[in-house]
Amino acid sequence: MSRKPMVRPGGRSARVQQAVHTAVRELQAEVGRPELTVPMIAARAGVTPSTIYRRWGDLQELLSDVAVERLRPEAPPEDHGRLLDDLRSWAEQFLEEMAAPTGRAYLRDALLGDPDGDNAGRCSDYAAEQIGTVLARAVERGEDVPDVDTVIDRVVAPVMYRILFRPDGLTGAYAHRLAEEALEGFSAGR
Amino acid sequence: MSRKPMVRPGGRSARVQQAVHTAVRELQAEVGRPELTVPMIAARAGVTPSTIYRRWGDLQELLSDVAVERLRPEAPPEDHGRLLDDLRSWAEQFLEEMAAPTGRAYLRDALLGDPDGDNAGRCSDYAAEQIGTVLARAVERGEDVPDVDTVIDRVVAPVMYRILFRPDGLTGAYAHRLAEEALEGFSAGR
C-alpha cells in the first residue's frame, strides 16, 4: 500500500509493524475477530491509534496486512529428489494450509482489505517463489519442466478457485492430480 | 443464505426482492457505493429497514446478493458449430466481463458479504451451467469432450485467480490459450 513507508529491519518502522502485528494476532485469539477495534490494538501495541490509521488506513487494511504475513511460507518446499514428487507434495501442503479454517480466514482478510490488490499480489508472489524453487531444483537435476506461470494456472489457480467459490472435493488426491497434470508432456511428469 | 425465504415469482417476497435490488442499483449509480446505507435503500424501495435486515442480514450481504444477480449470464453461450470455437469465444467473453471494472466490483462484493459461501457458489454455478451447455452441444455433434470440472479447473479457475490475485496479462489471447489447452487430448481440441 502506498501509505506504508519502506520498512528498514530494526528501525522504528519495523518495530511498530511488529508490535502492531503481534497485538492483532494476540487480540484475535483473545477477543475474536469481530470485536477488534483500532484503539484496542493501539493500546496493546503501545502506539497511538493515529499511528495505525496513518500507516494502514483502516482496520480492514491492517487485518489484510497481518493475514498476508501469516500466509507467507515459513520454509522452502521439501526436496524429494524428483519434480513430480516435489510438486505433488507442495500442492498437497498448499491446499491443506489454504483450505484449513485459519487459511480461509487469512485468505479472506487478505483479499478484503486490499483496495489496490497489493496484498493479493503478495500472496501470489509467495506461491510463485515456492514453485520457482521447486522448478529450479528440477532444472539443476536435468529435468524438463514447465514454467512457473503454467504451474500457477494448473495447480495454484484451481486450488484457490475451489476454496473461494466451490469448497468441495478439496482432497490430497485432487492436489496430486493437479500436480501430475501440470507436468503432462514434460519428462519430469513421467 | 439461510435468512432468505424461498422466492415465489410474482409473490410478495419476489416483489420486495426486485424493489430492493432495483433501489441498490439505482443508488449505486446515483450516490456511489461508499455512500449507501440500509435506510436510504429501504426508503427508495418503499420497504422498512427492518425488512432488509431481516432478509439480508446487513448491507454487505445485500450488496453481495445484488452483485451475484448482476453476474448471472443473460444469454446462453454463442454457438459457432464447433467446441473449440465455442469455448474460445466463451472464455474470452467471460474474461472480459469479469476483468472489467464493473465485473471486478461485483466479484468483490459477491465474495465479501458472503459468510457462508452461498453467493460465491452461485457465481460458480453460473459458469458451470454455461460450460455444460457448450459441452452438451458438442456431444450432440459427436465431439469427444472433457467434463465440466476439467473446464472449470483449466479455464474458469485461472481467469478468476488472475483477476483476484495477479491482474496482469488478462488478454483475449490468454483466454483462447486456456480454452485450447483444456481441450488437449480430446478430438474436440483439434
Side-chain angles (χ1 to χ4, degrees):
Chain A
M1 273 159 281
S2 48
R3 260 184 220 96
K4 262 181 293 171
M6 288 291 292
V7 176
R8 197 161 33 80
R12 174 175 145 72
S13 182
R15 285 197 309 274
V16 166
Q17 170 160 322
Q18 202 188 345
V20 170
H21 276 218
T22 303
V24 169
R25 291 199 303 269
E26 288 175 1
L27 289 165
Q28 276 181 326
E30 288 168 27
V31 306
R33 198 36 241 297
E35 306 300 321
L36 288 188
T37 64
V38 168
M40 186 193 291
I41 295 163
R44 174 70 63 103
V47 303
T48 62
S50 69
T51 298
I52 292 182
Y53 290 120
R54 207 165 42 236
R55 179 145 168 180
W56 281 278
D58 62 18
L59 178 62
Q60 192 68 69
E61 291 193 41
L62 169 57
L63 293 179
S64 177
D65 196 41
V66 171
V68 173
E69 217 32 57
R70 303 299 277 175
L71 291 170
R72 181 199 292 274
E74 281 165 11
E78 293 165 17
D79 188 344
H80 299 275
R82 191 171 74 132
L83 178 55
L84 185 57
D85 296 325
D86 284 3
L87 198 58
R88 268 199 203 120
S89 137
W90 182 82
E92 183 176 352
Q93 269 197 308
F94 179 73
L95 183 148
E96 266 174 23
E97 277 165 28
M98 295 296 164
T102 46
R104 283 173 199 266
Y106 288 137
L107 204 49
R108 207 181 150 74
D109 275 340
L111 281 174
L112 302 208
D114 185 28
D116 55 8
D118 245 38
N119 286 344
R122 277 163 66 202
C123 291
S124 184
D125 290 345
Y126 294 153
E129 279 163 29
Q130 296 256 308
I131 291 165
T133 302
V134 163
L135 294 178
R137 278 185 202 147
V139 167
E140 271 184 36
R141 285 189 298 247
E143 293 183 89
D144 169 33
V145 308
D147 60 19
V148 172
D149 271 2
T150 301
V151 179
I152 294 269
D153 282 349
R154 295 282 179 97
V155 179
V156 175
V159 167
M160 290 298 219
Y161 179 78
R162 283 182 186 259
I163 288 173
L164 291 170
F165 290 92
R166 31 196 286 158
D168 49 336
L170 285 160
T171 61
Y174 173 68
H176 285 191
R177 186 163 60 72
L178 292 175
E180 288 152 19
E181 289 178 2
L183 299 181
E184 262 171 25
F186 293 88
S187 69
R190 286 195 296 267
Chain B
M1 269 158 286
S2 47
R3 262 186 218 95
K4 263 184 292 173
M6 288 290 291
V7 175
R8 195 160 34 80
R12 176 176 143 71
S13 181
R15 284 198 309 275
V16 166
Q17 170 159 323
Q18 202 187 347
V20 170
H21 276 219
T22 303
V24 170
R25 292 199 303 269
E26 287 175 2
L27 290 165
Q28 275 181 327
E30 290 167 28
V31 306
R33 208 18 251 297
E35 306 300 321
L36 288 188
T37 63
V38 168
M40 185 192 294
I41 295 163
R44 174 69 63 102
V47 302
T48 62
S50 68
T51 298
I52 292 181
Y53 290 120
R54 209 165 40 236
R55 179 144 168 181
W56 281 279
D58 62 19
L59 178 62
Q60 192 66 68
E61 291 195 39
L62 169 58
L63 293 178
S64 177
D65 195 42
V66 171
V68 174
E69 215 33 56
R70 304 298 280 174
L71 291 170
R72 180 200 293 274
E74 281 164 10
E78 293 166 17
D79 188 344
H80 299 276
R82 192 171 74 131
L83 178 56
L84 185 58
D85 297 324
D86 284 1
L87 198 59
R88 270 199 200 119
S89 138
W90 183 82
E92 184 177 353
Q93 271 198 305
F94 179 74
L95 183 148
E96 269 174 22
E97 278 165 30
M98 295 296 165
T102 47
R104 282 173 200 266
Y106 288 138
L107 205 51
R108 207 180 150 75
D109 275 341
L111 282 174
L112 303 208
D114 186 29
D116 54 10
D118 243 38
N119 287 343
R122 276 164 65 203
C123 291
S124 185
D125 290 345
Y126 295 154
E129 278 163 29
Q130 297 257 307
I131 291 164
T133 301
V134 163
L135 295 178
R137 277 185 203 146
V139 168
E140 270 183 37
R141 286 189 298 250
E143 293 183 272
D144 169 35
V145 308
D147 60 19
V148 172
D149 270 2
T150 300
V151 179
I152 295 269
D153 281 348
R154 294 282 178 98
V155 179
V156 174
V159 167
M160 290 298 220
Y161 179 78
R162 283 182 185 259
I163 289 174
L164 292 169
F165 290 93
R166 34 197 283 157
D168 50 336
L170 284 161
T171 62
Y174 173 68
H176 286 189
R177 187 163 59 73
L178 292 175
E180 287 152 21
E181 289 178 3
L183 299 182
E184 262 171 25
F186 293 89
S187 68
R190 287 194 296 268

PDB file of all heavy atoms in Angstrom, chain A residues 93-123:
ATOM      1  N   GLN A  93       0.329 -29.734   0.431  1.00  0.00           N
ATOM      2  CA  GLN A  93       0.509 -28.871   1.610  1.00  0.00           C
ATOM      3  C   GLN A  93      -0.161 -27.521   1.418  1.00  0.00           C
ATOM      4  O   GLN A  93      -0.771 -26.978   2.333  1.00  0.00           O
ATOM      5  CB  GLN A  93       2.002 -28.641   1.843  1.00  0.00           C
ATOM      6  CG  GLN A  93       2.619 -29.659   2.769  1.00  0.00           C
ATOM      7  CD  GLN A  93       3.942 -29.135   3.283  1.00  0.00           C
ATOM      8  OE1 GLN A  93       4.795 -28.731   2.490  1.00  0.00           O
ATOM      9  NE2 GLN A  93       4.118 -29.139   4.591  1.00  0.00           N
ATOM     10  N   PHE A  94      -0.017 -26.967   0.215  1.00  0.00           N
ATOM     11  CA  PHE A  94      -0.622 -25.668  -0.098  1.00  0.00           C
ATOM     12  C   PHE A  94      -2.139 -25.764   0.065  1.00  0.00           C
ATOM     13  O   PHE A  94      -2.766 -24.919   0.705  1.00  0.00           O
ATOM     14  CB  PHE A  94      -0.242 -25.298  -1.539  1.00  0.00           C
ATOM     15  CG  PHE A  94      -0.806 -23.993  -2.026  1.00  0.00           C
ATOM     16  CD1 PHE A  94      -0.303 -22.788  -1.562  1.00  0.00           C
ATOM     17  CD2 PHE A  94      -1.841 -23.970  -2.950  1.00  0.00           C
ATOM     18  CE1 PHE A  94      -0.823 -21.581  -2.021  1.00  0.00           C
ATOM     19  CE2 PHE A  94      -2.359 -22.765  -3.414  1.00  0.00           C
ATOM     20  CZ  PHE A  94      -1.854 -21.575  -2.942  1.00  0.00           C
ATOM     21  N   LEU A  95      -2.729 -26.802  -0.506  1.00  0.00           N
ATOM     22  CA  LEU A  95      -4.178 -26.991  -0.373  1.00  0.00           C
ATOM     23  C   LEU A  95      -4.571 -27.123   1.100  1.00  0.00           C
ATOM     24  O   LEU A  95      -5.512 -26.469   1.557  1.00  0.00           O
ATOM     25  CB  LEU A  95      -4.615 -28.226  -1.156  1.00  0.00           C
ATOM     26  CG  LEU A  95      -6.118 -28.518  -1.170  1.00  0.00           C
ATOM     27  CD1 LEU A  95      -6.517 -29.185  -2.495  1.00  0.00           C
ATOM     28  CD2 LEU A  95      -6.577 -29.400  -0.017  1.00  0.00           C
ATOM     29  N   GLU A  96      -3.833 -27.934   1.837  1.00  0.00           N
ATOM     30  CA  GLU A  96      -4.178 -28.133   3.257  1.00  0.00           C
ATOM     31  C   GLU A  96      -4.151 -26.828   4.036  1.00  0.00           C
ATOM     32  O   GLU A  96      -5.040 -26.537   4.819  1.00  0.00           O
ATOM     33  CB  GLU A  96      -3.183 -29.101   3.903  1.00  0.00           C
ATOM     34  CG  GLU A  96      -3.652 -30.527   3.891  1.00  0.00           C
ATOM     35  CD  GLU A  96      -2.582 -31.472   4.413  1.00  0.00           C
ATOM     36  OE1 GLU A  96      -1.685 -31.020   5.165  1.00  0.00           O
ATOM     37  OE2 GLU A  96      -2.623 -32.660   4.038  1.00  0.00           O
ATOM     38  N   GLU A  97      -3.088 -26.054   3.810  1.00  0.00           N
ATOM     39  CA  GLU A  97      -2.960 -24.796   4.560  1.00  0.00           C
ATOM     40  C   GLU A  97      -4.039 -23.790   4.190  1.00  0.00           C
ATOM     41  O   GLU A  97      -4.630 -23.157   5.047  1.00  0.00           O
ATOM     42  CB  GLU A  97      -1.587 -24.166   4.294  1.00  0.00           C
ATOM     43  CG  GLU A  97      -0.508 -24.768   5.168  1.00  0.00           C
ATOM     44  CD  GLU A  97       0.879 -24.419   4.668  1.00  0.00           C
ATOM     45  OE1 GLU A  97       1.042 -23.350   4.038  1.00  0.00           O
ATOM     46  OE2 GLU A  97       1.814 -25.215   4.896  1.00  0.00           O
ATOM     47  N   MET A  98      -4.284 -23.636   2.889  1.00  0.00           N
ATOM     48  CA  MET A  98      -5.243 -22.626   2.441  1.00  0.00           C
ATOM     49  C   MET A  98      -6.683 -23.025   2.745  1.00  0.00           C
ATOM     50  O   MET A  98      -7.525 -22.172   2.982  1.00  0.00           O
ATOM     51  CB  MET A  98      -5.086 -22.383   0.939  1.00  0.00           C
ATOM     52  CG  MET A  98      -3.762 -21.779   0.553  1.00  0.00           C
ATOM     53  SD  MET A  98      -3.538 -20.116   1.261  1.00  0.00           S
ATOM     54  CE  MET A  98      -1.771 -19.920   1.057  1.00  0.00           C
ATOM     55  N   ALA A  99      -6.970 -24.327   2.701  1.00  0.00           N
ATOM     56  CA  ALA A  99      -8.346 -24.782   2.896  1.00  0.00           C
ATOM     57  C   ALA A  99      -8.707 -24.926   4.374  1.00  0.00           C
ATOM     58  O   ALA A  99      -9.888 -25.030   4.720  1.00  0.00           O
ATOM     59  CB  ALA A  99      -8.577 -26.105   2.169  1.00  0.00           C
ATOM     60  N   ALA A 100      -7.707 -24.919   5.255  1.00  0.00           N
ATOM     61  CA  ALA A 100      -7.997 -25.006   6.687  1.00  0.00           C
ATOM     62  C   ALA A 100      -8.741 -23.743   7.120  1.00  0.00           C
ATOM     63  O   ALA A 100      -8.612 -22.697   6.486  1.00  0.00           O
ATOM     64  CB  ALA A 100      -6.698 -25.140   7.469  1.00  0.00           C
ATOM     65  N   PRO A 101      -9.542 -23.843   8.196  1.00  0.00           N
ATOM     66  CA  PRO A 101     -10.302 -22.662   8.631  1.00  0.00           C
ATOM     67  C   PRO A 101      -9.431 -21.420   8.818  1.00  0.00           C
ATOM     68  O   PRO A 101      -9.811 -20.332   8.382  1.00  0.00           O
ATOM     69  CB  PRO A 101     -10.932 -23.112   9.952  1.00  0.00           C
ATOM     70  CG  PRO A 101     -11.048 -24.601   9.814  1.00  0.00           C
ATOM     71  CD  PRO A 101      -9.878 -25.040   8.984  1.00  0.00           C
ATOM     72  N   THR A 102      -8.246 -21.571   9.411  1.00  0.00           N
ATOM     73  CA  THR A 102      -7.384 -20.392   9.580  1.00  0.00           C
ATOM     74  C   THR A 102      -6.917 -19.869   8.220  1.00  0.00           C
ATOM     75  O   THR A 102      -6.907 -18.669   7.987  1.00  0.00           O
ATOM     76  CB  THR A 102      -6.133 -20.708  10.423  1.00  0.00           C
ATOM     77  OG1 THR A 102      -5.580 -21.942   9.933  1.00  0.00           O
ATOM     78  CG2 THR A 102      -6.461 -20.866  11.893  1.00  0.00           C
ATOM     79  N   GLY A 103      -6.540 -20.775   7.321  1.00  0.00           N
ATOM     80  CA  GLY A 103      -6.102 -20.364   5.993  1.00  0.00           C
ATOM     81  C   GLY A 103      -7.197 -19.601   5.265  1.00  0.00           C
ATOM     82  O   GLY A 103      -6.955 -18.544   4.672  1.00  0.00           O
ATOM     83  N   ARG A 104      -8.414 -20.129   5.310  1.00  0.00           N
ATOM     84  CA  ARG A 104      -9.540 -19.453   4.659  1.00  0.00           C
ATOM     85  C   ARG A 104      -9.763 -18.060   5.233  1.00  0.00           C
ATOM     86  O   ARG A 104     -10.041 -17.107   4.524  1.00  0.00           O
ATOM     87  CB  ARG A 104     -10.837 -20.243   4.853  1.00  0.00           C
ATOM     88  CG  ARG A 104     -10.939 -21.441   3.968  1.00  0.00           C
ATOM     89  CD  ARG A 104     -12.173 -22.256   4.365  1.00  0.00           C
ATOM     90  NE  ARG A 104     -12.061 -23.595   3.864  1.00  0.00           N
ATOM     91  CZ  ARG A 104     -12.581 -24.016   2.702  1.00  0.00           C
ATOM     92  NH1 ARG A 104     -13.271 -23.181   1.962  1.00  0.00           N
ATOM     93  NH2 ARG A 104     -12.421 -25.254   2.302  1.00  0.00           N
ATOM     94  N   ALA A 105      -9.679 -17.976   6.563  1.00  0.00           N
ATOM     95  CA  ALA A 105      -9.913 -16.679   7.210  1.00  0.00           C
ATOM     96  C   ALA A 105      -8.831 -15.683   6.785  1.00  0.00           C
ATOM     97  O   ALA A 105      -9.128 -14.526   6.470  1.00  0.00           O
ATOM     98  CB  ALA A 105      -9.935 -16.844   8.732  1.00  0.00           C
ATOM     99  N   TYR A 106      -7.565 -16.135   6.749  1.00  0.00           N
ATOM    100  CA  TYR A 106      -6.489 -15.243   6.334  1.00  0.00           C
ATOM    101  C   TYR A 106      -6.665 -14.815   4.879  1.00  0.00           C
ATOM    102  O   TYR A 106      -6.476 -13.655   4.518  1.00  0.00           O
ATOM    103  CB  TYR A 106      -5.121 -15.918   6.504  1.00  0.00           C
ATOM    104  CG  TYR A 106      -4.687 -16.059   7.939  1.00  0.00           C
ATOM    105  CD1 TYR A 106      -4.111 -17.230   8.411  1.00  0.00           C
ATOM    106  CD2 TYR A 106      -4.848 -14.998   8.830  1.00  0.00           C
ATOM    107  CE1 TYR A 106      -3.710 -17.361   9.734  1.00  0.00           C
ATOM    108  CE2 TYR A 106      -4.453 -15.120  10.148  1.00  0.00           C
ATOM    109  CZ  TYR A 106      -3.888 -16.301  10.597  1.00  0.00           C
ATOM    110  OH  TYR A 106      -3.489 -16.420  11.910  1.00  0.00           O
ATOM    111  N   LEU A 107      -7.047 -15.794   4.047  1.00  0.00           N
ATOM    112  CA  LEU A 107      -7.225 -15.529   2.626  1.00  0.00           C
ATOM    113  C   LEU A 107      -8.307 -14.474   2.416  1.00  0.00           C
ATOM    114  O   LEU A 107      -8.166 -13.537   1.627  1.00  0.00           O
ATOM    115  CB  LEU A 107      -7.658 -16.843   1.968  1.00  0.00           C
ATOM    116  CG  LEU A 107      -7.392 -17.044   0.507  1.00  0.00           C
ATOM    117  CD1 LEU A 107      -5.965 -16.720   0.143  1.00  0.00           C
ATOM    118  CD2 LEU A 107      -7.688 -18.511   0.152  1.00  0.00           C
ATOM    119  N   ARG A 108      -9.386 -14.649   3.156  1.00  0.00           N
ATOM    120  CA  ARG A 108     -10.497 -13.714   3.082  1.00  0.00           C
ATOM    121  C   ARG A 108     -10.051 -12.311   3.511  1.00  0.00           C
ATOM    122  O   ARG A 108     -10.298 -11.339   2.803  1.00  0.00           O
ATOM    123  CB  ARG A 108     -11.577 -14.235   4.030  1.00  0.00           C
ATOM    124  CG  ARG A 108     -12.956 -13.851   3.684  1.00  0.00           C
ATOM    125  CD  ARG A 108     -13.919 -14.415   4.710  1.00  0.00           C
ATOM    126  NE  ARG A 108     -15.039 -13.511   4.778  1.00  0.00           N
ATOM    127  CZ  ARG A 108     -15.956 -13.432   3.830  1.00  0.00           C
ATOM    128  NH1 ARG A 108     -15.908 -14.201   2.771  1.00  0.00           N
ATOM    129  NH2 ARG A 108     -16.932 -12.544   3.931  1.00  0.00           N
ATOM    130  N   ASP A 109      -9.385 -12.247   4.654  1.00  0.00           N
ATOM    131  CA  ASP A 109      -8.887 -10.955   5.136  1.00  0.00           C
ATOM    132  C   ASP A 109      -7.918 -10.333   4.136  1.00  0.00           C
ATOM    133  O   ASP A 109      -7.958  -9.128   3.889  1.00  0.00           O
ATOM    134  CB  ASP A 109      -8.164 -11.115   6.476  1.00  0.00           C
ATOM    135  CG  ASP A 109      -9.138 -11.075   7.644  1.00  0.00           C
ATOM    136  OD1 ASP A 109     -10.258 -10.562   7.464  1.00  0.00           O
ATOM    137  OD2 ASP A 109      -8.781 -11.564   8.720  1.00  0.00           O
ATOM    138  N   ALA A 110      -7.027 -11.173   3.584  1.00  0.00           N
ATOM    139  CA  ALA A 110      -6.025 -10.652   2.651  1.00  0.00           C
ATOM    140  C   ALA A 110      -6.707 -10.021   1.454  1.00  0.00           C
ATOM    141  O   ALA A 110      -6.319  -8.944   0.994  1.00  0.00           O
ATOM    142  CB  ALA A 110      -5.081 -11.775   2.209  1.00  0.00           C
ATOM    143  N   LEU A 111      -7.754 -10.659   0.942  1.00  0.00           N
ATOM    144  CA  LEU A 111      -8.445 -10.136  -0.240  1.00  0.00           C
ATOM    145  C   LEU A 111      -9.307  -8.929   0.077  1.00  0.00           C
ATOM    146  O   LEU A 111      -9.421  -8.005  -0.724  1.00  0.00           O
ATOM    147  CB  LEU A 111      -9.334 -11.219  -0.859  1.00  0.00           C
ATOM    148  CG  LEU A 111      -8.651 -12.277  -1.718  1.00  0.00           C
ATOM    149  CD1 LEU A 111      -9.650 -13.340  -2.126  1.00  0.00           C
ATOM    150  CD2 LEU A 111      -8.013 -11.655  -2.955  1.00  0.00           C
ATOM    151  N   LEU A 112      -9.936  -8.935   1.257  1.00  0.00           N
ATOM    152  CA  LEU A 112     -10.938  -7.909   1.548  1.00  0.00           C
ATOM    153  C   LEU A 112     -10.379  -6.520   1.754  1.00  0.00           C
ATOM    154  O   LEU A 112     -10.825  -5.565   1.152  1.00  0.00           O
ATOM    155  CB  LEU A 112     -11.756  -8.290   2.792  1.00  0.00           C
ATOM    156  CG  LEU A 112     -12.471  -9.611   2.717  1.00  0.00           C
ATOM    157  CD1 LEU A 112     -13.705  -9.598   3.570  1.00  0.00           C
ATOM    158  CD2 LEU A 112     -12.835  -9.978   1.296  1.00  0.00           C
ATOM    159  N   GLY A 113      -9.391  -6.408   2.632  1.00  0.00           N
ATOM    160  CA  GLY A 113      -8.925  -5.059   2.980  1.00  0.00           C
ATOM    161  C   GLY A 113      -7.815  -4.652   2.045  1.00  0.00           C
ATOM    162  O   GLY A 113      -6.765  -4.212   2.487  1.00  0.00           O
ATOM    163  N   ASP A 114      -8.045  -4.797   0.757  1.00  0.00           N
ATOM    164  CA  ASP A 114      -6.936  -4.693  -0.180  1.00  0.00           C
ATOM    165  C   ASP A 114      -7.386  -3.967  -1.441  1.00  0.00           C
ATOM    166  O   ASP A 114      -7.429  -4.535  -2.526  1.00  0.00           O
ATOM    167  CB  ASP A 114      -6.495  -6.127  -0.517  1.00  0.00           C
ATOM    168  CG  ASP A 114      -5.249  -6.154  -1.391  1.00  0.00           C
ATOM    169  OD1 ASP A 114      -4.456  -5.204  -1.311  1.00  0.00           O
ATOM    170  OD2 ASP A 114      -5.098  -7.114  -2.146  1.00  0.00           O
ATOM    171  N   PRO A 115      -7.710  -2.667  -1.295  1.00  0.00           N
ATOM    172  CA  PRO A 115      -8.297  -1.948  -2.419  1.00  0.00           C
ATOM    173  C   PRO A 115      -7.409  -1.910  -3.657  1.00  0.00           C
ATOM    174  O   PRO A 115      -7.903  -1.928  -4.762  1.00  0.00           O
ATOM    175  CB  PRO A 115      -8.533  -0.537  -1.873  1.00  0.00           C
ATOM    176  CG  PRO A 115      -7.756  -0.445  -0.612  1.00  0.00           C
ATOM    177  CD  PRO A 115      -7.559  -1.831  -0.105  1.00  0.00           C
ATOM    178  N   ASP A 116      -6.091  -1.915  -3.464  1.00  0.00           N
ATOM    179  CA  ASP A 116      -5.219  -1.791  -4.637  1.00  0.00           C
ATOM    180  C   ASP A 116      -4.649  -3.125  -5.119  1.00  0.00           C
ATOM    181  O   ASP A 116      -3.855  -3.159  -6.054  1.00  0.00           O
ATOM    182  CB  ASP A 116      -4.097  -0.787  -4.374  1.00  0.00           C
ATOM    183  CG  ASP A 116      -3.315  -1.148  -3.123  1.00  0.00           C
ATOM    184  OD1 ASP A 116      -3.561  -2.243  -2.578  1.00  0.00           O
ATOM    185  OD2 ASP A 116      -2.467  -0.354  -2.702  1.00  0.00           O
ATOM    186  N   GLY A 117      -5.060  -4.220  -4.498  1.00  0.00           N
ATOM    187  CA  GLY A 117      -4.636  -5.531  -4.973  1.00  0.00           C
ATOM    188  C   GLY A 117      -3.217  -5.916  -4.597  1.00  0.00           C
ATOM    189  O   GLY A 117      -2.709  -6.952  -4.999  1.00  0.00           O
ATOM    190  N   ASP A 118      -2.571  -5.068  -3.791  1.00  0.00           N
ATOM    191  CA  ASP A 118      -1.190  -5.310  -3.385  1.00  0.00           C
ATOM    192  C   ASP A 118      -1.010  -6.572  -2.546  1.00  0.00           C
ATOM    193  O   ASP A 118      -0.070  -7.334  -2.738  1.00  0.00           O
ATOM    194  CB  ASP A 118      -0.741  -4.142  -2.494  1.00  0.00           C
ATOM    195  CG  ASP A 118       0.365  -3.376  -3.150  1.00  0.00           C
ATOM    196  OD1 ASP A 118       0.302  -3.219  -4.380  1.00  0.00           O
ATOM    197  OD2 ASP A 118       1.266  -2.937  -2.426  1.00  0.00           O
ATOM    198  N   ASN A 119      -1.911  -6.745  -1.596  1.00  0.00           N
ATOM    199  CA  ASN A 119      -1.765  -7.887  -0.692  1.00  0.00           C
ATOM    200  C   ASN A 119      -2.056  -9.197  -1.399  1.00  0.00           C
ATOM    201  O   ASN A 119      -1.373 -10.201  -1.170  1.00  0.00           O
ATOM    202  CB  ASN A 119      -2.687  -7.718   0.522  1.00  0.00           C
ATOM    203  CG  ASN A 119      -2.158  -6.666   1.472  1.00  0.00           C
ATOM    204  OD1 ASN A 119      -0.984  -6.286   1.392  1.00  0.00           O
ATOM    205  ND2 ASN A 119      -3.006  -6.182   2.364  1.00  0.00           N
ATOM    206  N   ALA A 120      -3.067  -9.202  -2.263  1.00  0.00           N
ATOM    207  CA  ALA A 120      -3.359 -10.404  -3.051  1.00  0.00           C
ATOM    208  C   ALA A 120      -2.140 -10.731  -3.912  1.00  0.00           C
ATOM    209  O   ALA A 120      -1.749 -11.893  -4.036  1.00  0.00           O
ATOM    210  CB  ALA A 120      -4.590 -10.182  -3.921  1.00  0.00           C
ATOM    211  N   GLY A 121      -1.515  -9.699  -4.468  1.00  0.00           N
ATOM    212  CA  GLY A 121      -0.310  -9.911  -5.273  1.00  0.00           C
ATOM    213  C   GLY A 121       0.808 -10.540  -4.452  1.00  0.00           C
ATOM    214  O   GLY A 121       1.536 -11.407  -4.936  1.00  0.00           O
ATOM    215  N   ARG A 122       0.932 -10.124  -3.181  1.00  0.00           N
ATOM    216  CA  ARG A 122       1.968 -10.725  -2.326  1.00  0.00           C
ATOM    217  C   ARG A 122       1.689 -12.214  -2.105  1.00  0.00           C
ATOM    218  O   ARG A 122       2.593 -13.040  -2.142  1.00  0.00           O
ATOM    219  CB  ARG A 122       2.064  -9.992  -0.984  1.00  0.00           C
ATOM    220  CG  ARG A 122       2.934  -8.724  -1.065  1.00  0.00           C
ATOM    221  CD  ARG A 122       2.700  -7.800   0.129  1.00  0.00           C
ATOM    222  NE  ARG A 122       3.133  -8.361   1.394  1.00  0.00           N
ATOM    223  CZ  ARG A 122       2.676  -7.972   2.593  1.00  0.00           C
ATOM    224  NH1 ARG A 122       1.741  -7.032   2.676  1.00  0.00           N
ATOM    225  NH2 ARG A 122       3.125  -8.525   3.693  1.00  0.00           N
ATOM    226  N   CYS A 123       0.413 -12.565  -1.873  1.00  0.00           N
ATOM    227  CA  CYS A 123       0.052 -13.992  -1.708  1.00  0.00           C
ATOM    228  C   CYS A 123       0.480 -14.774  -2.935  1.00  0.00           C
ATOM    229  O   CYS A 123       1.026 -15.870  -2.829  1.00  0.00           O
ATOM    230  CB  CYS A 123      -1.459 -14.178  -1.575  1.00  0.00           C
ATOM    231  SG  CYS A 123      -2.157 -13.552  -0.067  1.00  0.00           S
TER     232      CYS A 123
END
